[in-house]
Amino acid sequence: MYTIDSISNLRNHLWQAKLDHKTIAFVPTMGNLHEGHLQLIDRALEEVDLVVASIFVNPLQFGPNENFNGYPRTFMADQEKLISRGCHVLFAPSVDEMYPTTNISSTTVKVPHLEQLLCGASRPGHFTGVATVVSKLFGIVQPDVAIFGLKDYQQFLVIKQLTYDLCLPVKIIGAPIARAESGLALSSRNGYLSDEELMQAAQLYVCLSACRVALETGETDLSKLEEQAQCELESAGFRRDYFKICRQDNLQPAEANDKDLVIAAAAYLGKARLIDNVRVTLP
Ligand code: PAF
């Protein structure tokens, strides 16, 4: 695997591959890699000739109260993991390489109708940070395909929308959520949990699954289901953020006759804010 930290060296490296008509898949990450990320690499390898991953902890997507400096950085271990899975190129730029101007980024990319809902409500500016860095990374790597985990479902929709609106020739693939045996979605944030909290955390998926079953068996009172789930999460030791039944295509609150739904939740446990979701298609 080649590890490259400058935009010009990456472009030079990928230039020959493009001349040879090799297809390129891109897996952007912020590092601290776990099995969920590595499954994105596996998926990318199925799609194309050359897989490029990136590790970049993006300051633009951290709010003023979020700990950018404290974000776990495990670069050597991440490199080993990517090598073991057969990734071809790792792009690992510095903040100065990505944002050379003093005001971090003068151009930003916003997807207004998606970015203020759900996670965007408690993390103002977060999705502008994500949309901006992903647009830049797409411009740098120019992949044919990019793979994102569906755990961050809102992020996935934001990226699909910006790709469509900016006419970027990149196919966006959502990869299934990787889960621990307990059902807990794999996440870098799980590293903030104690052993006891890790056990409690599995309750988030239990509540999402119970809500899915209720919808599938004909429950139509969506607010009741949402409130019930919030109460169950509180009894399991979580603090509330949101638990919402939404339309799968645009994250607007679902109505009784909608069929393609996503149940999306975020809740605080100890030092972590966990997110997860379950998609449901009703007959
Ligand atoms: O999902 C992430 O790790 C990040 O939000 C991403 C897509 C790499 C952009 O920084």
Side-chain angles (χ1 to χ4, degrees):
M1 184 178 77
Y2 293 91
T3 298
I4 298 175
D5 61 9
S6 88
I7 296 172
S8 57
N9 288 348
L10 182 75
R11 287 220 168 108
N12 288 339
H13 186 88
L14 296 180
W15 181 67
Q16 190 57 47
K18 286 185 207 254
L19 279 184
D20 294 342
H21 299 288
K22 290 201 170 140
T23 48
I24 297 177
F26 179 43
V27 180
T29 81
M30 300 211 299
N32 195 224
L33 302 182
H34 53 67
E35 180 59 27
H37 294 112
L38 301 177
Q39 289 179 11
L40 303 182
I41 302 290
D42 297 345
R43 180 66 209 275
L45 284 163
E46 284 168 18
E47 289 283 326
V48 296
D49 305 311
L50 193 85
V51 174
V52 179
S54 66
I55 295 181
F56 178 63
V57 185
N58 172 32
L60 214 59
Q61 68 188 75
F62 286 76
N65 304 324
E66 296 177 347
N67 192 357
F68 166 72
N69 290 324
Y71 192 85
R73 286 155 172 93
T74 51
F75 190 72
M76 303 293 258
D78 292 346
Q79 251 182 334
E80 291 301 316
K81 289 177 186 169
L82 290 171
I83 291 170
S84 77
R85 285 309 244 260
C87 179
H88 301 108
V89 178
L90 168 60
F91 178 50
S94 65
V95 173
D96 284 346
E97 183 72 2
M98 287 298 285
Y99 299 115
T101 51
T102 44
N103 60 348
I104 298 251
S105 180
S106 38
T107 300
T108 53
V109 179
K110 287 183 201 291
V111 184
H113 73 283
L114 282 171
E115 69 170 55
Q116 276 148 28
L117 313 159
L118 306 180
C119 287
S122 44
R123 304 186 69 190
H126 169 71
F127 287 111
T128 299
V130 170
T132 302
V133 81
V134 170
S135 304
K136 287 174 74 102
L137 289 166
F138 282 179
I140 295 165
V141 178
Q142 299 185 21
D144 299 284
V145 170
I147 324 263
F148 294 86
L150 288 171
K151 178 175 71 65
D152 299 295
Y153 187 72
Q154 186 171 7
Q155 166 171 286
F156 170 73
L157 286 190
V158 165
I159 290 163
K160 264 180 64 156
Q161 188 68 48
L162 79 84
T163 306
Y164 176 80
D165 289 341
L166 301 178
C167 308
L168 305 179
V170 185
K171 177 175 159 198
I172 306 298
I173 294 183
I177 301 175
R179 298 188 180 279
E181 247 174 68
S182 65
L184 174 65
L186 300 188
S187 165
S188 303
R189 289 155 183 237
N190 298 350
Y192 297 124
L193 300 174
S194 66
D195 288 347
E196 195 191 328
E197 286 166 345
L198 269 174
M199 282 180 351
Q200 285 170 275
Q203 203 58 30
L204 185 54
Y205 184 56
V206 171
C207 287
L208 287 164
S209 305
C211 183
R212 172 178 50 198
V213 171
L215 289 167
E216 285 171 344
T217 49
E219 178 58 67
T220 52
D221 188 343
L222 306 186
S223 325
K224 186 184 90 184
L225 288 177
E226 291 170 350
E227 185 52 31
Q228 217 170 345
Q230 293 272 37
C231 293
E232 276 161 28
L233 285 172
E234 277 176 343
S235 344
F238 285 86
R239 278 174 298 120
R240 282 181 186 221
D241 189 339
Y242 65 81
F243 191 105
K244 295 263 185 236
I245 304 168
C246 307
R247 291 184 53 176
Q248 228 176 78
D249 57 348
N250 62 10
L251 300 181
Q252 288 302 311
E255 289 176 17
N257 55 353
D258 286 330
K259 303 291 178 213
D260 292 321
L261 309 174
V262 57
I263 315 164
Y268 298 90
L269 187 64
K271 282 188 269 171
R273 179 177 173 278
L274 303 179
I275 62 170
D276 198 352
N277 68 81
V278 161
R279 282 173 300 148
V280 192
T281 301
L282 298 175

